[in-house]
Amino acid sequence: LDSRNVQRACLQEVLGKFFSLRARSAKQDAYAHTAVKQAVSIINSAFTETIDLYQLATELNLHQRYFISLFKTMIGIPPHQYQIALRIDMARRMLNTEIPLSEIAMQSGFADQSHLNRHFKRIYGMPPGIFRDQTSALGS
């Protein structure tokens, strides 16, 4: 029972950090740069696809380095990390299903299951299969 409480506390802490950028967005919205708003909208709508940051910056009439710096200042993380966070969130939500991990990886926009594992482990400290097992055990 104590280990479950520790696991829940760890998950809450990780999820809190992971989604803190959403909480900050309401306050920063009034000051947000139009290009960043457009970029967030584009990334949100196509996060499972490959997004060329140079092309995106060009479409927004910004130099790539300036765009990445501006995005990081406004959102808290660079655009590619933002995209990966969206993919990880989608994969995490799909873990409560019986969909095979390789299919979850593909549907979330990762090249393969090892690509998902690498990024998922970086955020949650464990691969998605173990995360699935532990969260399903917590729900039981």
Side-chain angles (χ1 to χ4, degrees), residues 72-90:
K72 185 176 179 179
T73 299
M74 299 303 297
I75 303 299
I77 56 176
H80 183 68
Q81 286 183 3
Y82 179 79
Q83 180 183 25
I84 294 296
L86 293 174
R87 290 176 177 181
I88 291 293
D89 184 49
M90 180 178 181

Side-chain angles (χ1 to χ4, degrees), residues 42 49-59 64 67 83:
I42 291 167
E49 301 169 20
T50 301
I51 298 174
D52 182 339
L53 292 180
Y54 177 78
Q55 183 180 359
L56 181 57
T58 302
E59 288 175 24
Q64 182 180 1
F67 164 65
Q83 180 183 25

Side-chain angles (χ1 to χ4, degrees), residues 88-134:
I88 291 293
D89 184 49
M90 180 178 181
R92 180 192 54 80
R93 286 183 280 123
M94 294 175 72
L95 288 174
N96 66 357
T97 67
E98 295 297 319
I99 299 172
L101 293 175
S102 59
E103 184 63 27
I104 289 174
M106 297 305 278
Q107 288 184 25
S108 300
F110 291 99
D112 53 34
Q113 187 176 338
S114 67
H115 189 210
L116 166 62
N117 287 350
R118 194 168 46 252
H119 287 288
F120 197 94
K121 190 173 181 179
R122 198 172 291 148
I123 291 175
Y124 290 103
M126 65 185 83
I130 293 173
F131 184 92
R132 173 186 266 174
D133 293 342
Q134 289 187 357

Side-chain angles (χ1 to χ4, degrees), residues 22-82:
R22 289 188 180 167
R24 291 172 38 187
S25 67
K27 183 177 181 181
Q28 290 182 340
D29 231 15
Y31 307 104
H33 193 284
T34 304
V36 173
K37 286 182 182 180
Q38 291 173 325
V40 166
S41 178
I42 291 167
I43 295 169
N44 285 349
S45 65
F47 68 90
T48 60
E49 301 169 20
T50 301
I51 298 174
D52 182 339
L53 292 180
Y54 177 78
Q55 183 180 359
L56 181 57
T58 302
E59 288 175 24
L60 299 170
N61 295 317
L62 297 173
H63 186 276
Q64 182 180 1
R65 285 189 204 162
Y66 176 69
F67 164 65
I68 292 170
S69 174
L70 182 64
F71 192 98
K72 185 176 179 179
T73 299
M74 299 303 297
I75 303 299
I77 56 176
H80 183 68
Q81 286 183 3
Y82 179 79

